[in-house]
Amino acid sequence: MATPRDTPRRPDALTLEVVELIGEVVARFHADYEEAAAERALTGAQAKLLSLLSLEPLPMRKLAHKLKCEPSNVTGIVDRLEARGLVERRPDPGDRRVKVAAATEEGRRVARGLRESLRFAREPLAGLSEGERVALRDALRLMVGESPPEG
């Protein structure tokens, strides 16, 4: 016998509004990100890869997984960024048979500039109190399956 949990419920009006607003935030963030990337003569995929590598060197397979694409696509993106001096390939310290891609100093500078130039979210978030930003952060963490920080 079906239980209430087994039966799909129609979302209430508030849930539908939240979903629409999340979609609008994502679309605006994406447009702002693409614009910031274009200002640096980067595609969105190149900018995302460079941003990931500015945090830590990663093997191609891990990059492909994070970007949700084929490793052969990542190789081409890394090739183009390497030609611009933004990324370099080096042996993985943990396994010398594996190559990792790493942002160069210039690549980290470009990635930092990219992050700092994203205007869409920064301005509205500045209008929220610290408590409101903490509540928003914690709600978003719950939505993506992370636990809010302790304290």
Side-chain angles (χ1 to χ4, degrees), residues 21-37 48 51 114-115 117-122 125:
L21 288 168
I22 290 171
E24 181 65 22
V25 166
V26 168
R28 288 185 186 186
F29 178 82
H30 183 70
D32 195 27
Y33 196 85
E34 290 287 328
E35 183 181 320
K48 188 168 185 181
S51 292
L114 181 66
R115 277 190 303 274
S117 72
L118 295 175
R119 295 171 293 279
F120 163 67
R122 185 180 316 128
L125 287 173

Side-chain angles (χ1 to χ4, degrees), residues 34-135:
E34 290 287 328
E35 183 181 320
E39 288 170 0
R40 288 155 182 79
L42 297 170
T43 65
Q46 289 171 338
K48 188 168 185 181
L49 188 143
L50 185 59
S51 292
L52 287 170
L53 293 179
S54 73
L55 302 174
E56 63 178 324
L58 293 168
M60 299 296 189
R61 286 201 180 283
K62 203 173 256 186
L63 277 169
H65 178 74
K66 286 181 177 277
L67 294 173
K68 296 174 180 42
C69 68
E70 294 296 317
S72 59
N73 292 345
V74 169
T75 299
I77 296 169
V78 169
D79 287 345
R80 288 185 286 284
L81 291 172
E82 192 173 35
R84 290 185 54 187
L86 302 176
V87 167
E88 63 186 7
R89 288 177 170 92
R90 55 172 90 136
D92 184 336
D95 184 349
R96 309 280 295 164
R97 298 168 298 172
V98 175
K99 292 278 189 196
V100 296
T104 61
E105 185 59 42
E106 176 66 8
R108 286 188 293 278
R109 188 189 66 72
V110 169
R112 189 171 41 256
L114 181 66
R115 277 190 303 274
E116 290 170 358
S117 72
L118 295 175
R119 295 171 293 279
F120 163 67
R122 185 180 316 128
E123 292 164 8
L125 287 173
L128 299 177
S129 70
E130 182 178 358
E132 290 168 327
R133 290 192 312 272
V134 167

